[in-house]
Amino acid sequence: SRAEMKRPAARLFLPACLGAWALGGTAHAAGPGTTGAQTLRFAASPRSFAMAEAMTAVPDGPLSLFANPAALSAMQYKELDLAYNRGLEDISHQSIFYGHPARFGAAGLGVLRRGVGGFQGYDAGGLAVEQVSAEDLVFGAGLGKQVLESGPWVLSLGAGAKAMDSRLEKARGRGYAADLGALADLNLSWAKLSVGLAAQNLGPGIKYDRE
């Protein structure tokens, strides 16, 4: 969970202890051998990368789907976001996000793909074998809606669901997860304070073969 205070010329972050608490929760959730669905560990947007993923309280159009679905409610227009990145060691990342505001709230759809091309594999004895590769696909949908407006206070809630398909060479795993979020805005004459909370990737996890 992260929180931010925003004013026209700059953004001021709330005390760093909130960020430390959030990072501690993330580290605790990743147990031994947590190596699957690596796509979920990476920010979905360039802006999120640039802000060290501190996007829980910052609306980012349809890309809010995987950061805080409640922030989808801030969309005023239909939006389409496409991204393609190819990095070192033949690591590639692609995404498509679409957001659609409506009377019942703002809906978001997204597809993420992250792949690693062929690289040298080794057997248990350390001998080189055939080339190996890996790929993750994540399909998501969510809804954010403003549920309360009282004076300077505005409260939005959101929820999303994900379906995941992950391949580690010949082993394949599938799973699903849910996201929940809340976003509260305090609009003052001299500043705007935004506080966001998000619970991400709630689900049973992914099993590869029998593990």
Side-chain angles (χ1 to χ4, degrees):
S1 304
R2 302 177 179 90
E4 293 183 15
M5 181 168 63
K6 181 171 65 176
R7 55 187 186 181
R11 288 190 175 87
L12 301 177
F13 293 96
L14 289 179
C17 60
L18 291 178
W21 172 74
L23 291 175
T26 301
H28 177 75
T34 305
T35 58
Q38 289 294 306
T39 300
L40 298 178
R41 293 172 172 263
F42 290 86
S45 73
R47 185 183 183 193
S48 184
F49 272 114
M51 295 183 62
E53 301 184 43
M55 298 296 291
T56 309
V58 182
D60 195 20
L63 294 164
S64 294
L65 176 64
F66 287 170
N68 182 355
L72 291 170
S73 63
M75 285 193 302
Q76 299 181 1
Y77 308 98
K78 300 175 184 178
E79 296 185 39
L80 177 66
D81 184 278
L82 306 172
Y84 178 89
N85 177 59
R86 195 172 193 88
L88 299 175
E89 299 296 334
D90 202 22
I91 299 174
S92 63
H93 180 273
Q94 299 89 35
S95 65
I96 302 174
F97 284 89
Y98 175 71
H100 190 106
R103 290 185 178 181
F104 56 82
L109 299 172
V111 180
L112 284 176
R113 178 194 175 274
R114 188 175 182 87
V116 181
F119 55 93
Q120 186 60 57
Y122 297 87
D123 63 15
L127 298 177
V129 293
E130 70 275 4
Q131 297 259 315
V132 297
S133 61
E135 180 185 52
D136 285 345
L137 282 171
V138 182
F139 304 89
L143 179 69
K145 180 176 177 59
Q146 180 180 312
V147 297
L148 175 66
E149 183 173 1
S150 178
W153 284 99
V154 177
L155 175 64
S156 299
L157 299 178
K162 299 171 182 172
M164 299 164 285
D165 183 285
S166 184
R167 178 180 59 82
L168 300 176
E169 187 45 23
K170 297 179 181 179
R172 198 175 200 107
R174 292 181 173 87
Y176 56 89
D179 296 334
L180 300 174
L183 180 65
D185 293 320
L186 176 59
N187 299 301
L188 303 174
S189 60
W190 54 274
K192 178 180 178 180
L193 175 68
S194 296
V195 178
L197 297 173
Q200 298 175 317
N201 305 323
L202 303 173
I206 296 178
K207 289 185 177 181
Y208 297 87
D209 291 337
R210 290 169 295 176
E211 299 295 331

